[in-house]
Amino acid sequence: MGMPKRKEYSLKLIVRTEFDDERTCRLSFRDAGFGDFFPATDFRVEKIIHLGGTNGQFNSLS
C-alpha cells in the first residue's frame, strides 16, 4: 500500500529515527491521519540507511 492521496497540507506522518548501531540508522514512517477529516491508514514504510566511515571518520557517501 502506498502513501495515501490527500489534498495539500492534509497528510500527517509520524517519523521515528533509531540507530541499531553506530553505522545503521532505521527510519520509519506511519500515517497518523488528519483529525476528523482523514482517519489513519495502514500506510507504514521503513528504510535502513547504512552510514559509512571508519576509524572515527564519517562519510555518508560510502
Side-chain angles (χ1 to χ4, degrees), residues 18-32:
E18 298 178 62
F19 280 88
D20 295 339
D21 57 43
E22 60 192 22
R23 293 194 192 140
T24 307
C25 179
R26 181 182 309 266
L27 298 171
S28 61
F29 303 88
R30 182 169 55 100
D31 177 28

Side-chain angles (χ1 to χ4, degrees), residues 27-60:
L27 298 171
S28 61
F29 303 88
R30 182 169 55 100
D31 177 28
F34 199 76
D36 292 333
F37 299 104
F38 299 101
T41 65
D42 292 334
F43 173 76
R44 285 177 165 39
V45 67
E46 185 174 279
K47 298 292 180 184
I48 296 176
I49 300 172
H50 298 283
L51 304 171
T54 57
N55 298 326
Q57 297 173 340
F58 181 78
N59 180 0
S60 62

